[in-house]
Amino acid sequence: MSTESPTSRQSLSGGDHPLDWLDVREKERVEAGLRRRLRPRAATAGGLDLAGNDYLGLCRDDRVLEATVRAVRTWGGGSTGSRLVTGSTTLHAELETALAEHMGAEAALVFSSGYLANLGVITGLVGKGGLVVSDAINHASIVDACRLSRARVAITGHRDVEAVARVLAERAEERALVVVDAVFSVDGDIAPLAELAAVTRRYGAVLLVDEAHGLGVVGPGGRGAVHAAGLAGADDVVLTATLSKALGSQGGAVLGPARVIEHLVDAARPFIFDTGLAPACAAAALEALRILRAQPRLADAVRANARALSAGAREAGLRVTEPEGAVASVLIGDAQLAFDTAARCAAAGVLVGCFRPPSVPDGISRLRLAARADLTAADIARAVTALEAATSM
Ligand code: PMP
């Protein structure tokens, strides 16, 4: 059955209501094992959390909480307006300076989410008559940004630098942007950034790297994959980041040459027409970043824990990726089986992510394991035992 919405006036289910087709779609999703349900968690929910993205365990750190509460008392519950009207506080400015310094960029601009940072920078840097070259498994926010940009979009195979070079060499468009996740969000592998930067430079394009899973995790002190590849501060490389993973808060940022940031302030619609990030979130991220700067080993710890988790799962006979950041994934295949396996892990007190279509292509559904810096050897052993039991049923 087509997945398009019905366009004729007759409803697919034969009913009379114009939304009856939603029931047909739901039935299809249920049958395919793709129905999603919100499961609100309680603040006190126990268990071992390998599903969240609080990689450094800073979301509930006392210092982060204190800074957040101070910001709420100082600034209130929200930012009160667009960054260009009333929504820019001194906290936003401090955070931008700190992020840029940490990642080795000339300047930074905070958005209210990483998703919007990707929409803002991609639509801001390329448009109609331009070209975006995007890795096949880039994050959904990049995919959506490419569509929104109205540029021609060329999807290249995962990590295929030769394909990127070919598309750039054969293009008719003058302006081109190559975009890639630094650390791919489900499998946890790192993009070949040095090679991509060389190719984009050779063909007069700009490289945009999404450091959502690199910041706080990859490279010395968690300065990110771009820094680790020796590309920090390059005048033709732009980064995005999220504040919602290693920094335990919410929000996003674009980092790069000052002229890019200045352009986005004037031109990026998801920046201009969105209410500024809540000051409390800016304060939480800023404090988390200060902690990371004072304890750079946190980044090493999360990577070591991810490797230990993956090695344990592999020894238990599971098909698991080799993590280069905080994340590894266990290949399951069938969507319903992946869902049931994640549910069995949860019943055993170990929360893991479950990735099914449309988050991954059909037939390669998987469990996503996100390590944290504060995991103990006992936590890792517990997780491996739960995974082994859940997959052998
Ligand atoms: N990029 C990547 C690679 C991500 O994994 C995510 C978060 N899932 C985002 C961007 C979006 O970030 P945010 O959640 O802050 O909107």
Side-chain angles (χ1 to χ4, degrees):
M1 191 176 283
S2 150
T3 54
E4 297 296 311
S5 305
T7 50
S8 85
R9 290 189 58 194
Q10 203 199 354
S11 125
L12 269 183
S13 63
D16 289 333
H17 194 281
L19 290 176
D20 280 350
W21 64 276
L22 294 179
D23 303 337
V24 178
R25 292 291 169 264
E26 191 198 9
K27 189 160 169 284
E28 286 169 3
R29 290 199 304 276
V30 169
E31 280 164 8
L34 298 177
R35 180 73 171 89
R36 289 158 152 83
R37 294 203 185 277
L38 292 173
R39 284 162 292 148
R41 64 184 166 97
T44 51
L48 179 59
D49 180 7
L50 302 179
N53 294 312
D54 182 20
Y55 298 143
L56 303 184
L58 293 177
C59 181
R60 285 165 174 262
D61 181 281
D62 280 341
R63 296 160 289 183
V64 171
L65 299 187
E66 282 307 315
T68 308
V69 170
R70 263 198 317 275
V72 169
R73 291 199 190 288
T74 308
W75 296 101
S79 74
T80 77
S82 155
R83 293 281 313 273
L84 287 169
V85 186
T86 54
S88 268
T89 69
T90 47
L91 274 177
H92 293 83
E94 252 186 277
L95 176 60
E96 285 166 349
T97 303
L99 282 169
E101 194 180 319
H102 182 66
M103 302 187 83
E106 201 178 355
L109 188 65
V110 164
F111 284 66
S112 65
S113 75
Y115 204 114
L116 289 180
N118 276 333
L119 293 192
V121 71
I122 292 175
T123 58
L125 288 182
V126 70
K128 213 166 179 170
L131 168 71
V132 198
V133 187
S134 179
D135 186 286
I137 66 166
N138 275 345
H139 188 257
S141 55
I142 295 174
V143 174
D144 293 351
C146 289
R147 291 173 182 159
L148 195 60
S149 74
R150 294 187 288 172
R152 177 166 75 92
V153 181
I155 309 292
T156 45
H158 182 46
R159 297 170 56 96
D160 189 345
V161 182
E162 284 300 309
V164 173
R166 257 194 321 274
V167 172
L168 290 177
E170 290 166 5
R171 77 186 193 268
E173 298 85 354
E174 189 189 329
R175 198 177 300 165
L177 182 69
V178 174
V179 52
V180 71
D181 279 11
V183 181
F184 291 91
S185 48
V186 181
D187 289 349
D189 51 329
I190 293 185
L193 294 176
E195 294 87 339
L196 283 171
V199 161
T200 47
R201 202 159 289 167
R202 186 178 332 137
Y203 292 106
V206 169
L207 179 64
L208 173 65
V209 184
D210 180 345
E211 288 271 25
H213 304 273
L215 169 60
V217 173
V218 177
R223 288 162 177 266
V226 167
H227 200 289
L231 296 167
D235 65 1
D236 53 358
V237 177
V238 180
L239 318 180
T240 52
T242 175
L243 313 179
S244 65
K245 303 188 192 300
L247 299 184
S249 179
Q250 302 254 147
V254 177
L255 304 101
R259 61 181 171 174
V260 170
I261 301 305
E262 280 154 24
H263 170 71
L264 294 181
V265 170
D266 287 329
R269 293 170 66 85
F271 179 79
I272 297 167
F273 296 104
D274 187 39
T275 296
L277 178 70
C281 295
L286 183 58
E287 186 60 28
L289 189 55
R290 284 192 184 124
I291 295 170
L292 172 62
R293 302 275 287 173
Q295 295 171 247
R297 285 293 174 88
L298 284 171
D300 303 329
V302 69
R303 291 198 311 276
N305 286 341
R307 285 194 299 273
L309 202 50
S310 160
R314 193 168 302 111
E315 273 165 35
L318 302 176
R319 287 176 67 193
V320 58
T321 57
E322 185 61 56
E324 294 188 82
V327 170
S329 76
V330 178
L331 184 67
I332 302 288
D334 178 68
Q336 187 64 51
L337 184 60
F339 179 81
D340 294 342
T341 309
R344 284 195 286 268
C345 288
V350 177
L351 302 179
V352 299
C354 174
F355 280 67
R356 301 171 281 169
S359 306
V360 295
D362 235 356
I364 57 163
S365 289
R366 51 197 59 212
L367 305 181
R368 178 178 183 270
L369 312 177
R372 288 204 322 268
D374 56 2
L375 291 180
T376 62
D379 290 334
I380 290 169
R382 178 180 171 196
V384 170
T385 304
L387 281 164
E388 190 175 11
T391 48
S392 61
M393 281 183 184

